Amino acid sequence: MAAPQKPLQSTGIDSRLRDAGLFVRQAVRTFRATGAVAPSSRALGHALARFVDEREDPTAPLTILEAGAGTGAVSRVIAQHMRAGDTIDLVESNPEFAGRLAEQLTSDPDLSGIADSATVHQKLVTDMGPDVSYDVIISGLPFANFTAEEVREIMEYYFSVLRPGGRLSLFGYLYTKQVKAVIAPREDFLRQARSGWVVEEWVNRYGVGTERVLANLPPAWIQHLRRPTED
Ligand SMILES: C[S@@+](CC[C@H](N)C(=O)[O-])C[C@H]1O[C@@H](n2cnc3c(N)ncnc32)[C@H](O)[C@@H]1O
């Protein structure tokens, strides 16, 4: 007699492989909005989650926004750093990613622990509106693919909903400007340079630290910013 078959269980590895497949398919279809060839590494996630870990007041719960959560590569790492009472809004404009993320909140072992404190919003981050307030914002948006006006609108939005003293961490990829200088059309190179200058403007005013994460595809830089307690 044949041995009874074990029910098939989705492992963390199955789940990551499905996410990577979905990510690559969406990157091909919507590269401007997706802006990456693969989900972020855990090393990048840990560096981005720095201010979920390092708290000014360790007894006060945090309100967190992750913008551009994708398939949840960074969300899973943020979840590890969250403590009781913390809440997180996971905002993602791509309906395929947002749907997958909502599904993962109940089924993924790394995300199900925060299912009661997390909300997935399928929308543009700026459509979250003014009636929200965050202690920590983690931005995964591909600013290098946006126009300077789009980046300025988003940076202004982040700082309008970041509470005084709150932190914003954002990332981009190393050497993209240098590569574009060689292979991209001139207008695209100039567009990226202009959107980079907008980020630089904010970093010059509010930057509190920068990091490089080589263990990511492609290697990344991070900027950490802090909204002053008095503007
Ligand atoms: C570089 S991917 C990062 C995905 C994920 N956080 C990671 O690190 O693997 C950028 C994500 O931002 C989303 N996105 C782009 N523009 C957006 C916007 N204005 N509001 C919300 N999400 C956006 C894209 O659909 C994509 O999933």
Side-chain angles (χ1 to χ4, degrees):
M1 200 171 83
Q5 285 196 332
K6 276 193 193 163
L8 280 178
Q9 271 190 347
S10 170
T11 65
I13 293 169
D14 292 337
S15 176
R16 285 321 97 77
L17 284 174
R18 276 180 61 201
D19 287 355
L22 175 62
F23 201 95
V24 172
R25 284 195 302 280
Q26 291 297 313
V28 172
R29 283 190 43 215
T30 61
F31 189 72
R32 183 174 183 274
T34 306
V37 290
S40 294
S41 67
R42 291 186 81 79
L44 181 54
H46 282 294
L48 285 166
R50 176 165 165 187
F51 293 109
V52 178
D53 210 31
E54 293 173 17
R55 304 171 181 227
E56 276 171 6
D57 177 356
T59 61
L62 296 178
T63 51
I64 306 162
L65 165 68
E66 186 193 357
T71 50
V74 173
S75 327
R76 286 186 188 88
V77 183
I78 299 172
Q80 282 182 12
H81 293 274
M82 285 173 64
R83 301 182 194 164
D86 293 350
T87 55
I88 185 164
D89 283 326
L90 301 167
V91 184
E92 171 51 54
S93 58
N94 180 321
E96 301 274 341
F97 287 159
R100 171 88 178 125
L101 196 53
E103 199 185 289
Q104 295 274 67
L105 264 188
T106 48
S107 61
D108 183 283
D110 293 335
L111 285 174
S112 51
I114 59 156
D116 292 341
S117 3
T119 311
V120 177
H121 304 263
Q122 193 260 299
K123 52 174 71 167
L124 296 174
V125 68
T126 42
D127 288 346
M128 289 294 283
D131 300 328
V132 285
S133 167
Y134 299 102
D135 301 296
V136 176
I137 299 179
I138 294 169
S139 174
L141 301 195
F143 282 162
N145 288 4
F146 292 178
T147 63
E149 293 70 31
E150 287 169 329
V151 174
R152 186 174 300 284
E153 185 195 348
I154 294 167
M155 290 301 285
E156 280 172 359
Y157 178 71
Y158 286 161
F159 270 73
S160 71
V161 295
L162 196 58
R163 71 154 180 78
R167 323 292 181 107
L168 162 67
S169 298
L170 53 88
F171 78 95
Y173 300 117
L174 288 167
Y175 313 119
T176 54
K177 239 188 327 195
Q178 291 84 339
V179 172
K180 275 200 176 155
V182 179
I183 61 163
R186 187 173 158 73
E187 314 81 71
D188 193 37
F189 170 73
L190 289 175
R191 182 203 46 72
Q192 186 182 338
R194 289 196 194 97
S195 47
W197 294 334
V198 176
V199 175
E200 255 173 60
E201 234 179 79
W202 290 82
V203 168
N204 290 341
R205 269 188 279 167
Y206 303 119
V208 290
T210 180
E211 294 178 51
R212 282 174 171 221
V213 179
L214 299 181
N216 190 69
L217 183 69
W221 53 259
I222 296 180
Q223 292 288 354
H224 300 291
L225 297 86
R226 179 176 184 272
R227 179 173 166 182
T229 40
E230 280 171 24
D231 286 321

